[in-house]
Amino acid sequence: MSQLSQRSDVAAFLAMDIMRDANALSAAGEDIMRLEVGQPALAAPDEIRKAAAHALEADRLAYTDALGMPALKARIARHYQETYGHGPDAADVIVTPGSSGGFILSFTACFETGDKVGLAEPGYPAYRNILKALGVEAVGIPVGPETGWQLTVDLVQEAEKKHGPLAGIMVASPANPTGTMQSPETLGALIADCEAHERWFISDEIYHGITFNQRAVSAAGKGDHVIVVNSFSKYYCMTGWRLGWLAVPPRVTRTIERLAQNLFISAPSLSQIAAMAAFDAQPELDRRVAGYARNRNILLEGLPEVGITHIAPADGAFYLYADVSNLTDDAIGFCKRMLHEAKVAATPGLDFDPVRGHKFVRFSYAGAEADMAEAVRRLKAWL
Ligand SMILES: Cc1ncc(COP(=O)(O)O)c(C=O)c1O
């Protein structure tokens, strides 16, 4: 019997397992507080949905250019100028099926089979798993409170001493699961170091727009080795529309175009038309971010009262990453009991950190404000 490839033997996403159990309990009539899901509770704002409804009636919804609709590419390029004052030309914006599609395209374009790529651990698990599926070795670089749970030049250089040269590094700011951000200085130093060593710098900026203390700095257009990955999923509340984008150096664009033509043909055209309206929804989206800030405060006040005191600095995104080693060293069992006994769903840290994650839990506060307060109340009664 033929065997399945070694490359495809990637880890399951435990958050999805907890989500499945929480869905089953909800379907059975249980009232579960959903702090496990990494997506906004609200639908895309009205102007986005209206644009889609109109397009559904009026448009043929055919394939678009593999790199995306020119008008959307131009609108994204304008967004960079308006938001950061720098960024790619429209020609070097590539519209992708979610940032997940952007990872597949950029990793395939940048890395050879057998290359090594450095990633902060804890980190978003798909980086490691997509790299593995492409035959690229993910080198987990442990990060902690000393560096704000983010990579630094020193950590990257130490990793190279231990593991050999890295073909690239992946940075996310704000990050999932920690919510922590890179300082502009560290981000700049990492980019400079990557440029000097001809190492790809892949910047996942999917949580830009959802920040509480400082504005996020974009790496877009900052070097010949800098690839920015972004998405309409989180700030724009469009997870199921499966739309993201890349901002790449001009020398990379044609290669990714050829890959995109073959791998995806194009990103969904209905979503692309709708996304044109996303940039006009900013006032509503910023009100939603203010809601996440209130949720965050409820948890930051409430969790310490139940003994969850060690929480990574929640600079952005909508996650709290908590060290629960004073309560358990089996985060999976802990999350299962929390779900079944306290009716609160959260994600065990092992998804994000295969080494230390058994002592950590990620709480998502992208849900309703009342649910955050209720989750704290239930945890108090449970713990
Ligand atoms: C850090 C990070 N990057 C990328 C993604 C994937 O997002 P999408 O493919 O919906 O754009 C997620 C989803 O949770 C994420 O947390």
Side-chain angles (χ1 to χ4, degrees), residues 38 98-100 103 124 127 176 204 206-207 231 233-234 239 242 319:
S99 69
S100 304
F103 295 136
Y124 178 57
Y127 305 146
N176 177 7
D204 181 350
I206 189 170
Y207 291 104
S231 173
S233 287
K234 308 291 173 161
T239 47
R242 307 311 305 131
Y319 305 114

mmCIF file of all heavy atoms in Angstrom, residues 38 98-100 103 124 127 176 204 206-207 231 233-234 239 242 319, ligand 1:
data_model
loop_
_atom_site.group_PDB
_atom_site.id
_atom_site.type_symbol
_atom_site.label_atom_id
_atom_site.label_comp_id
_atom_site.label_asym_id
_atom_site.label_seq_id
_atom_site.Cartn_x
_atom_site.Cartn_y
_atom_site.Cartn_z
ATOM 1 N N GLY A 38 -10.426 32.352 17.485
ATOM 2 C CA GLY A 38 -9.589 33.486 17.090
ATOM 3 C C GLY A 38 -10.235 34.297 15.993
ATOM 4 O O GLY A 38 -9.589 34.591 14.987
ATOM 5 N N GLY A 98 -6.966 34.510 1.634
ATOM 6 C CA GLY A 98 -6.579 34.611 3.046
ATOM 7 C C GLY A 98 -5.081 34.826 3.173
ATOM 8 O O GLY A 98 -4.325 34.652 2.210
ATOM 9 N N SER A 99 -4.653 35.222 4.370
ATOM 10 C CA SER A 99 -3.203 35.272 4.570
ATOM 11 C C SER A 99 -2.644 33.858 4.481
ATOM 12 O O SER A 99 -1.476 33.665 4.149
ATOM 13 C CB SER A 99 -2.852 35.930 5.901
ATOM 14 O OG SER A 99 -3.230 35.101 6.958
ATOM 15 N N SER A 100 -3.491 32.871 4.746
ATOM 16 C CA SER A 100 -3.033 31.477 4.637
ATOM 17 C C SER A 100 -2.540 31.195 3.220
ATOM 18 O O SER A 100 -1.494 30.553 3.032
ATOM 19 C CB SER A 100 -4.176 30.519 4.995
ATOM 20 O OG SER A 100 -4.670 30.818 6.289
ATOM 21 N N PHE A 103 0.837 32.790 2.837
ATOM 22 C CA PHE A 103 1.971 32.016 3.379
ATOM 23 C C PHE A 103 2.434 30.981 2.364
ATOM 24 O O PHE A 103 3.634 30.810 2.128
ATOM 25 C CB PHE A 103 1.584 31.298 4.682
ATOM 26 C CG PHE A 103 1.255 32.217 5.823
ATOM 27 C CD1 PHE A 103 0.156 31.998 6.631
ATOM 28 C CD2 PHE A 103 2.049 33.322 6.094
ATOM 29 C CE1 PHE A 103 -0.158 32.853 7.668
ATOM 30 C CE2 PHE A 103 1.749 34.185 7.137
ATOM 31 C CZ PHE A 103 0.631 33.946 7.921
ATOM 32 N N TYR A 124 2.004 31.276 15.923
ATOM 33 C CA TYR A 124 0.844 30.734 15.194
ATOM 34 C C TYR A 124 1.255 29.406 14.539
ATOM 35 O O TYR A 124 2.233 29.360 13.779
ATOM 36 C CB TYR A 124 0.434 31.769 14.152
ATOM 37 C CG TYR A 124 -0.724 31.361 13.271
ATOM 38 C CD1 TYR A 124 -1.944 30.997 13.810
ATOM 39 C CD2 TYR A 124 -0.592 31.374 11.881
ATOM 40 C CE1 TYR A 124 -3.004 30.634 12.995
ATOM 41 C CE2 TYR A 124 -1.649 31.027 11.051
ATOM 42 C CZ TYR A 124 -2.852 30.644 11.616
ATOM 43 O OH TYR A 124 -3.894 30.290 10.810
ATOM 44 N N TYR A 127 2.389 28.483 10.644
ATOM 45 C CA TYR A 127 3.693 28.795 10.031
ATOM 46 C C TYR A 127 4.512 27.516 9.928
ATOM 47 O O TYR A 127 5.025 27.130 8.889
ATOM 48 C CB TYR A 127 4.511 29.786 10.873
ATOM 49 C CG TYR A 127 3.876 31.096 11.241
ATOM 50 C CD1 TYR A 127 4.169 31.692 12.471
ATOM 51 C CD2 TYR A 127 3.027 31.763 10.377
ATOM 52 C CE1 TYR A 127 3.618 32.912 12.833
ATOM 53 C CE2 TYR A 127 2.470 32.983 10.737
ATOM 54 C CZ TYR A 127 2.773 33.549 11.969
ATOM 55 O OH TYR A 127 2.229 34.749 12.335
ATOM 56 N N ASN A 176 0.002 36.230 17.553
ATOM 57 C CA ASN A 176 -0.885 35.207 18.075
ATOM 58 C C ASN A 176 0.031 34.090 18.568
ATOM 59 O O ASN A 176 0.885 33.658 17.786
ATOM 60 C CB ASN A 176 -1.784 34.695 16.931
ATOM 61 C CG ASN A 176 -2.710 33.580 17.347
ATOM 62 O OD1 ASN A 176 -2.785 33.252 18.507
ATOM 63 N ND2 ASN A 176 -3.410 33.014 16.377
ATOM 64 N N ASP A 204 4.108 38.980 9.431
ATOM 65 C CA ASP A 204 2.667 38.716 9.466
ATOM 66 C C ASP A 204 2.006 39.894 10.180
ATOM 67 O O ASP A 204 2.143 40.041 11.399
ATOM 68 C CB ASP A 204 2.407 37.396 10.204
ATOM 69 C CG ASP A 204 0.920 37.047 10.253
ATOM 70 O OD1 ASP A 204 0.087 37.900 9.887
ATOM 71 O OD2 ASP A 204 0.595 35.915 10.676
ATOM 72 N N ILE A 206 -1.299 40.619 10.226
ATOM 73 C CA ILE A 206 -2.747 40.374 10.194
ATOM 74 C C ILE A 206 -3.487 41.073 11.334
ATOM 75 O O ILE A 206 -4.660 41.386 11.205
ATOM 76 C CB ILE A 206 -3.037 38.853 10.189
ATOM 77 C CG1 ILE A 206 -4.521 38.553 9.936
ATOM 78 C CG2 ILE A 206 -2.593 38.186 11.456
ATOM 79 C CD1 ILE A 206 -4.828 37.085 9.671
ATOM 80 N N TYR A 207 -2.805 41.329 12.466
ATOM 81 C CA TYR A 207 -3.503 41.987 13.589
ATOM 82 C C TYR A 207 -3.268 43.499 13.610
ATOM 83 O O TYR A 207 -3.640 44.156 14.589
ATOM 84 C CB TYR A 207 -3.117 41.321 14.924
ATOM 85 C CG TYR A 207 -3.679 39.921 15.012
ATOM 86 C CD1 TYR A 207 -2.872 38.799 14.836
ATOM 87 C CD2 TYR A 207 -5.048 39.716 15.199
ATOM 88 C CE1 TYR A 207 -3.399 37.515 14.869
ATOM 89 C CE2 TYR A 207 -5.588 38.436 15.229
ATOM 90 C CZ TYR A 207 -4.762 37.340 15.067
ATOM 91 O OH TYR A 207 -5.300 36.078 15.087
ATOM 92 N N SER A 231 -4.286 40.498 5.852
ATOM 93 C CA SER A 231 -5.547 39.796 5.623
ATOM 94 C C SER A 231 -6.724 40.687 5.971
ATOM 95 O O SER A 231 -6.606 41.598 6.790
ATOM 96 C CB SER A 231 -5.558 38.560 6.522
ATOM 97 O OG SER A 231 -6.808 37.929 6.481
ATOM 98 N N SER A 233 -9.181 39.247 7.409
ATOM 99 C CA SER A 233 -9.888 38.394 8.379
ATOM 100 C C SER A 233 -10.136 39.054 9.729
ATOM 101 O O SER A 233 -11.216 38.904 10.292
ATOM 102 C CB SER A 233 -9.101 37.102 8.610
ATOM 103 O OG SER A 233 -9.204 36.259 7.486
ATOM 104 N N LYS A 234 -9.156 39.734 10.287
ATOM 105 C CA LYS A 234 -9.257 40.065 11.718
ATOM 106 C C LYS A 234 -9.796 41.484 11.927
ATOM 107 O O LYS A 234 -10.939 41.649 12.323
ATOM 108 C CB LYS A 234 -7.895 39.868 12.383
ATOM 109 C CG LYS A 234 -7.280 38.497 12.120
ATOM 110 C CD LYS A 234 -7.997 37.349 12.800
ATOM 111 C CE LYS A 234 -7.420 36.022 12.333
ATOM 112 N NZ LYS A 234 -7.678 34.892 13.162
ATOM 113 N N THR A 239 -13.381 36.858 8.259
ATOM 114 C CA THR A 239 -12.658 35.566 8.250
ATOM 115 C C THR A 239 -13.115 34.621 7.139
ATOM 116 O O THR A 239 -12.301 34.058 6.426
ATOM 117 C CB THR A 239 -12.790 34.824 9.603
ATOM 118 O OG1 THR A 239 -14.151 34.838 9.997
ATOM 119 C CG2 THR A 239 -11.939 35.442 10.685
ATOM 120 N N ARG A 242 -12.268 34.699 3.077
ATOM 121 C CA ARG A 242 -10.989 34.151 2.619
ATOM 122 C C ARG A 242 -10.248 35.113 1.688
ATOM 123 O O ARG A 242 -10.043 34.847 0.494
ATOM 124 C CB ARG A 242 -11.182 32.779 1.928
ATOM 125 C CG ARG A 242 -11.946 31.758 2.723
ATOM 126 C CD ARG A 242 -11.446 31.589 4.170
ATOM 127 N NE ARG A 242 -10.039 31.281 4.260
ATOM 128 C CZ ARG A 242 -9.196 31.945 5.079
ATOM 129 N NH1 ARG A 242 -9.595 32.946 5.860
ATOM 130 N NH2 ARG A 242 -7.935 31.600 5.107
ATOM 131 N N TYR A 319 -5.982 38.488 22.115
ATOM 132 C CA TYR A 319 -5.638 37.303 22.897
ATOM 133 C C TYR A 319 -4.903 37.679 24.181
ATOM 134 O O TYR A 319 -4.139 38.645 24.199
ATOM 135 C CB TYR A 319 -4.689 36.398 22.096
ATOM 136 C CG TYR A 319 -5.215 36.011 20.743
ATOM 137 C CD1 TYR A 319 -4.579 36.461 19.591
ATOM 138 C CD2 TYR A 319 -6.351 35.207 20.620
ATOM 139 C CE1 TYR A 319 -5.058 36.114 18.335
ATOM 140 C CE2 TYR A 319 -6.837 34.860 19.372
ATOM 141 C CZ TYR A 319 -6.187 35.315 18.227
ATOM 142 O OH TYR A 319 -6.666 34.978 16.992
HETATM 143 C C1 LIG B 1 -1.184 35.232 13.255
HETATM 144 C C2 LIG B 1 -2.143 34.717 12.238
HETATM 145 N N1 LIG B 1 -1.786 34.743 10.944
HETATM 146 C C3 LIG B 1 -2.602 34.252 9.994
HETATM 147 C C4 LIG B 1 -3.844 33.717 10.298
HETATM 148 C C5 LIG B 1 -4.695 33.158 9.176
HETATM 149 O O1 LIG B 1 -5.651 34.047 8.757
HETATM 150 P P1 LIG B 1 -6.409 34.059 7.356
HETATM 151 O O2 LIG B 1 -5.955 32.930 6.527
HETATM 152 O O3 LIG B 1 -7.849 33.994 7.721
HETATM 153 O O4 LIG B 1 -6.056 35.379 6.737
HETATM 154 C C6 LIG B 1 -4.264 33.693 11.634
HETATM 155 C C7 LIG B 1 -5.576 33.117 11.990
HETATM 156 O O5 LIG B 1 -5.904 32.923 13.132
HETATM 157 C C8 LIG B 1 -3.397 34.211 12.619
HETATM 158 O O6 LIG B 1 -3.726 34.225 13.917
#
